[in-house]
Amino acid sequence: MTRIAIIGAGFGGVAAAAELLKQGFRDIVLLEKADRIGGVWRDNTYPGCACDVPAPLYSYSFALNPDWSRRYPPHQEILSYLERCAGELGVTDLIRFRTEVAGAAWDGAAWEITTTTGEKLTVDVLIPAVGQLSRPSIPELPGAEAFHGPKMHTAHWDRDVKIEGRRIAVIGTGASAIQLVPAIAGKAAHVTVFQRTAPWTVPKPDRGYGRARRAAYRRVPALMRMSRAATWALTLIQGAAVAGNPVATRVVRGYSLAQRRWQVRDPELLAKVTPEEPLGCKRVLFTNAWLPALSRPDVDLVTEKIVAVTPDGIRTADGIEHPCDVLVYGTGFAAAEFLVPIRVTGRDGVLLEEVWREGAHAYLGITVPGFPNLFLIYGPNTNTGNTSVIYFHESQARYIAQAVRSVAAEDQPLEVREEPATVYDREIQKRLAGSVWTGCQSWYRNAAGRVVTNWPGKAAEYRRRTATLRRADFH
């Protein structure tokens, strides 16, 4: 019997386990470092946290949910959905909680996994599904350790920290910050937002789903398929804009410009929130509340560079010290550092971190030469800037299930050959070199400037390319 270990019990890990169970594999264990499943939806509990992809699409195709409360549901609702799916699909019983993986080494025939407590586990197939957004990125700011008040990242929100009546400093203007700031503005005594670059925003077409709609979805599931298809069609417009389609770009830019001019009347603030970077080089953000929040008298947007954190606030390059009681990092994640801090050793003692020294890469974002029976979920260049990443998870899970079937049938390790992996990587990087993502520094790129997270084409292309495992590509 083929022994399989999946690292991580978020959307990707659950998708992989569900597909393997469907294919008849039973010796599966999910190693989860936390005491609850959910990944980012377990970890991110900051005020205002919600999905920025419409719920009809941000769900498994094989487990559409008739009970979403709205088009962009809050994090707790998404977490509950994932937990329900895991239970109904038989995945929950396979999870070993509070088990953090420290390393994994190929011994010539199997993977030996070591946990942070020293426990060892031997399996035939290893499937890391730790995600790209699991390790918060916190900038090193001079004086931060001397700050007198609480400090926290949005992904490690401390509910015991009082927000009401206090001065809050928020560093960053990414996807988390644009949800957090409107949620705490008016509750905090004052909010100061520190911005490095202005994000592109567009109106968020959110709406509540009433009881009649939910009842119709339960009675006629085909209606959910129609809603999902319509949502998919809308994401194609944004995807085309990011890809450089001139008509789509004009449409999205027009929406963004109209939103800024409608919601921001102060010329100075309007200048600050007007993006200078190309549309799409960072994630386009959906929001109706961000710009009105910045327009409040109790919210300041600071664009001067932070030079130091003082015991009582933040000092910027213009010499002004901005007092605050609580410091919040809305600074995203170390997405380019795949699998860190897990130490993975492949064939002939090769370290994966050494193979990825110039930047993470994998054939179809799933397999790496020199690492037999290692298959990644949400690996390099499988992120999407405009549609649901769960669609990619499902594609990877189906591909991996084919690979595991091959391993089981032949009773031999499966390793991608160097030639197809190299040809594939060159193709992807060539396509990415001409993309909008090279126009600015973002979490899509590593320190050397290589785009390591994003897929350069349409999601449908990725689905096609992962539909069938080509046995000729493997040893």
Side-chain angles (χ1 to χ4, degrees):
M1 182 176 291
T2 305
R3 301 162 298 178
I4 306 165
I6 300 170
I7 307 176
F11 268 98
V14 171
E19 184 64 27
L20 289 166
L21 285 171
K22 179 182 176 182
Q23 297 298 328
F25 295 96
R26 292 293 178 265
D27 195 348
I28 305 170
V29 61
L30 285 84
L31 306 175
E32 172 54 58
K33 66 180 181 180
D35 57 5
R36 188 178 184 183
I37 73 170
V40 295
W41 299 110
R42 175 198 61 235
D43 296 341
N44 287 264
T45 62
Y46 60 85
C49 180
C51 192
D52 59 1
V53 174
L57 199 55
Y58 198 85
S59 49
Y60 294 125
S61 64
F62 51 81
L64 297 184
N65 180 21
D67 296 319
W68 293 120
S69 65
R70 58 189 317 106
R71 183 174 287 158
Y72 295 88
H75 75 94
Q76 183 56 52
E77 196 171 330
I78 299 169
L79 179 59
S80 297
Y81 164 77
L82 180 59
E83 290 180 322
R84 185 170 67 254
C85 287
E88 293 174 351
L89 295 167
V91 175
T92 303
D93 293 339
L94 307 175
I95 303 173
R96 189 180 298 179
F97 292 105
R98 293 179 289 279
T99 304
E100 183 174 2
V101 174
W106 178 256
D107 67 6
W111 284 98
E112 184 174 272
I113 301 170
T114 305
T115 70
T116 54
T117 61
E119 179 186 1
K120 293 188 182 299
L121 176 68
T122 301
V123 297
D124 302 300
V125 173
L126 180 62
I127 305 174
V130 298
Q132 296 184 15
L133 307 178
S134 59
R135 296 180 56 246
S137 176
I138 299 179
E140 295 183 4
L141 299 175
E145 294 304 315
F147 181 67
H148 286 164
K151 303 187 297 291
M152 55 188 171
H153 192 279
T154 50
H156 290 162
W157 190 262
D158 187 347
R159 295 187 178 184
D160 293 331
V161 174
K162 182 181 178 183
I163 295 297
E164 291 75 9
R166 305 180 79 179
R167 299 167 298 179
I168 314 297
V170 179
I171 300 176
T173 54
S176 299
I178 70 156
Q179 294 180 343
L180 170 67
V181 171
I184 63 175
K187 298 177 182 177
H190 193 274
V191 180
T192 305
V193 181
F194 295 86
Q195 172 182 279
R196 185 170 56 181
T197 56
W200 283 92
T201 66
V202 291
K204 185 176 184 176
D206 198 9
R207 58 169 296 182
Y209 290 162
R211 283 182 293 180
R213 184 187 187 114
R214 296 197 294 270
Y217 280 166
R218 283 191 291 272
R219 281 194 290 266
V220 188
L223 293 175
M224 289 190 287
R225 298 284 176 191
M226 294 172 59
S227 177
R228 182 179 172 91
T231 302
W232 175 271
L234 290 175
T235 66
L236 293 178
I237 298 175
Q238 184 180 333
V242 171
N245 180 284
V247 175
T249 299
R250 283 197 296 270
V251 170
V252 176
R253 286 177 65 96
Y255 276 130
S256 183
L257 176 62
Q259 180 185 46
R260 288 196 301 277
R261 291 186 173 176
W262 176 257
Q263 293 187 328
V264 181
R265 301 306 171 91
D266 176 58
E268 183 178 349
L269 179 59
L270 181 60
K272 288 182 178 181
V273 299
T274 299
E276 297 180 354
E277 296 172 333
L279 172 70
C281 76
K282 294 180 181 176
R283 189 176 180 91
V284 178
L285 306 175
F286 289 88
T287 178
N288 298 325
W290 169 247
L291 296 175
L294 296 181
S295 301
R296 293 175 58 98
D298 55 351
V299 177
D300 287 333
L301 179 64
V302 177
T303 56
E304 288 287 335
K305 181 181 178 180
I306 296 174
V307 295
V309 178
T310 69
D312 301 307
I314 295 177
R315 187 168 64 250
T316 48
D318 55 5
I320 296 176
E321 181 168 338
H322 306 268
C324 64
D325 304 307
V326 179
L327 176 56
V328 178
Y329 295 103
T331 46
F333 300 85
E337 299 176 1
F338 288 84
L339 297 188
V340 175
I342 301 172
R343 186 179 178 88
V344 180
T345 307
R347 180 170 48 79
D348 301 325
V350 176
L351 290 174
L352 187 56
E353 62 189 77
E354 290 298 319
V355 175
W356 285 351
R357 178 177 292 181
E358 302 298 323
H361 56 276
Y363 181 61
L364 296 173
I366 298 172
T367 61
V368 183
F371 295 82
N373 288 5
L374 176 73
F375 307 106
L376 301 164
I377 291 282
Y378 205 7
N381 299 117
T382 64
N383 183 63
T384 171
N386 62 283
T387 189
S388 172
V389 74
I390 298 176
Y391 184 87
F392 283 72
H393 293 343
E394 290 187 29
S395 299
Q396 292 149 17
R398 292 166 186 165
Y399 185 88
I400 291 170
Q402 295 178 58
V404 178
R405 281 205 306 271
S406 178
V407 170
E410 300 182 26
D411 195 25
Q412 292 287 335
L414 196 66
E415 178 187 338
V416 68
R417 296 190 300 111
E418 189 74 43
E419 182 182 358
T422 300
V423 170
Y424 172 83
D425 184 55
R426 287 174 179 167
E427 176 212 337
I428 296 302
Q429 289 304 312
K430 182 178 180 180
R431 292 170 65 182
L432 288 168
S435 71
V436 69
W437 298 312
T438 62
C440 62
Q441 186 59 46
S442 70
W443 63 269
Y444 299 149
R445 307 171 72 191
N446 67 4
R450 177 186 172 103
V451 179
V452 294
T453 61
N454 282 11
W455 169 249
K458 296 178 180 178
E461 178 195 349
Y462 188 80
R463 175 62 60 89
R464 288 194 303 271
R465 295 181 72 160
T466 56
T468 304
L469 182 139
R470 294 177 53 187
R471 190 62 181 82
D473 292 339
F474 291 84
H475 294 298

